[in-house]
Amino acid sequence: MRQRSVARAATTAGMHAALLAGAFFSALPFLWLLTTSLKPEKAVFSPPLLIPTRFEWMNYARAMQVAPFDRFFLNSAIMAVGITVTQTVFSGLAGYALARMHFPAKHLFFITVLAAMMIPQQVTLIPGFLIVSRLGWIDTYAALIVPRATSAFAVLLFRQSFLSIPVEIEEAARIDGAGTLTIIARVVAPLSRPVVAASAIFSFLFAWNDFLWPLVVTNSTRMQTVQVGLAMFSGRYGTFWTLLAAATVVALLPSVLAFLAGQRRFIEGIASSAVKG
């Protein structure tokens, strides 16, 4: 009996050690980024020490002075919030239609949504740019937000979640005189808060960290986002690695805070959306 307890304890300790090692190596790039942001410029090419011998806190102040990062952060915030709100609303409505309503070619629409998830963003880049250009939206918030106001992944996420809600609840609301939009807003949405949170977090993280599309549809510094602004640290004569690392750490903070704030709802939403197919 004692030998079994010892073997079980040894197995548990080994599993924890393996998990801790995996977690450390997963976090190592982020730790390296953080320590690089605090190193003097000359120490970047010195022996690769994880902890700097001298902390250069002024790297953050200098990084924010290289470019108008206050404007970049404002543009990224407007774009991320706009995409998050529109994707959540429109994808939720589309997901409800695919889950509850009956109309011709419904299954064909659902297959089309699934197929849209398999198309890389680079394939739609040129057609999307041409449409935005002909609408006269280049260098505007409309170009940053409207083309990504829906998401095939979010539609699928909402559809799978709505299928798990008993139809009887909605039928009871209809008997009381509620319309479709009222049912969605007051019955279905409150019951799907974890999925709404998961979709919002996905949308926000995607929008905040997007680089390619804002680079294509913005020309002036006034409309560029923070991810595009980070490219200013790389020039013809080299890259300012410590300043780039400092600016990247600051740019990562909204993503990290958004995930930590909705982590529990995020996990619940992913789990609940897989209950029923």
Side-chain angles (χ1 to χ4, degrees):
M1 194 72 174
R2 185 177 179 181
Q3 291 180 347
R4 290 183 180 178
S5 300
V6 172
R8 190 180 299 111
T11 302
T12 304
M15 291 177 59
H16 285 138
L19 291 173
L20 287 173
F24 173 75
F25 285 111
S26 298
L28 185 59
F30 300 99
L31 295 174
W32 189 262
L33 176 68
L34 180 61
T35 57
T36 300
S37 69
L38 296 172
K39 290 180 180 179
E41 187 67 34
K42 295 181 180 179
V44 174
F45 304 101
S46 301
L49 300 175
L50 184 60
I51 301 177
T53 56
R54 181 167 64 90
F55 292 93
E56 194 72 26
W57 296 100
M58 287 302 296
N59 285 341
Y60 286 88
R62 286 195 291 267
M64 295 298 103
Q65 295 171 358
V66 170
F69 272 92
D70 54 346
R71 181 70 189 187
F72 294 161
F73 274 97
L74 176 63
N75 293 336
S76 290
I78 294 174
M79 180 186 71
V81 171
I83 290 175
T84 301
V85 172
T86 54
Q87 277 196 10
T88 303
V89 172
F90 294 142
S91 300
L93 293 174
Y96 182 84
L98 291 173
R100 288 289 190 257
M101 295 183 176
H102 301 282
F103 52 89
K106 173 182 174 180
H107 294 291
L108 179 60
F109 277 104
F110 179 59
I111 293 173
T112 304
V113 171
L114 294 179
M117 295 175 59
M118 306 176 190
I119 302 175
Q121 181 186 4
Q122 293 80 359
V123 175
T124 61
L125 188 65
I126 295 178
F129 173 79
L130 292 176
I131 294 173
V132 168
S133 178
R134 294 192 177 184
L135 290 172
W137 288 354
I138 296 297
D139 228 23
T140 64
Y141 289 120
L144 294 171
I145 298 173
V146 174
R148 293 173 297 170
T150 58
S151 167
F153 175 76
V155 172
L156 177 63
L157 198 67
F158 278 111
R159 174 189 178 272
Q160 298 302 103
S161 174
F162 294 157
L163 286 174
S164 65
I165 298 176
V167 182
E168 292 76 12
I169 297 177
E170 299 177 37
E171 292 177 347
R174 290 190 187 278
I175 293 174
D176 292 337
T180 301
L181 293 179
T182 303
I183 291 174
I184 295 174
R186 297 188 178 184
V187 178
V188 177
L191 292 174
S192 305
R193 286 177 184 172
V195 176
V196 173
S199 175
I201 291 174
F202 269 122
S203 301
F204 182 85
L205 295 180
F206 167 78
W208 183 268
N209 295 311
D210 193 16
F211 170 78
L212 185 59
W213 182 250
L215 177 67
V216 170
V217 298
T218 57
N219 296 328
S220 64
T221 304
R222 183 180 61 87
M223 290 302 302
Q224 287 178 342
T225 61
V226 65
Q227 304 300 335
V228 178
L230 293 177
M232 292 186 175
F233 293 100
S234 298
R236 182 181 300 177
Y237 302 105
T239 301
F240 299 96
W241 293 109
T242 55
L243 302 185
L244 176 59
T248 304
V249 169
V250 176
L252 281 173
L253 288 178
S255 300
V256 175
L257 294 176
F259 179 77
L260 292 178
Q263 182 180 10
R264 184 171 64 88
R265 293 289 187 182
F266 175 79
I267 296 174
E268 290 176 0
I270 296 299
S272 64
S273 65
V275 171
K276 186 173 181 180

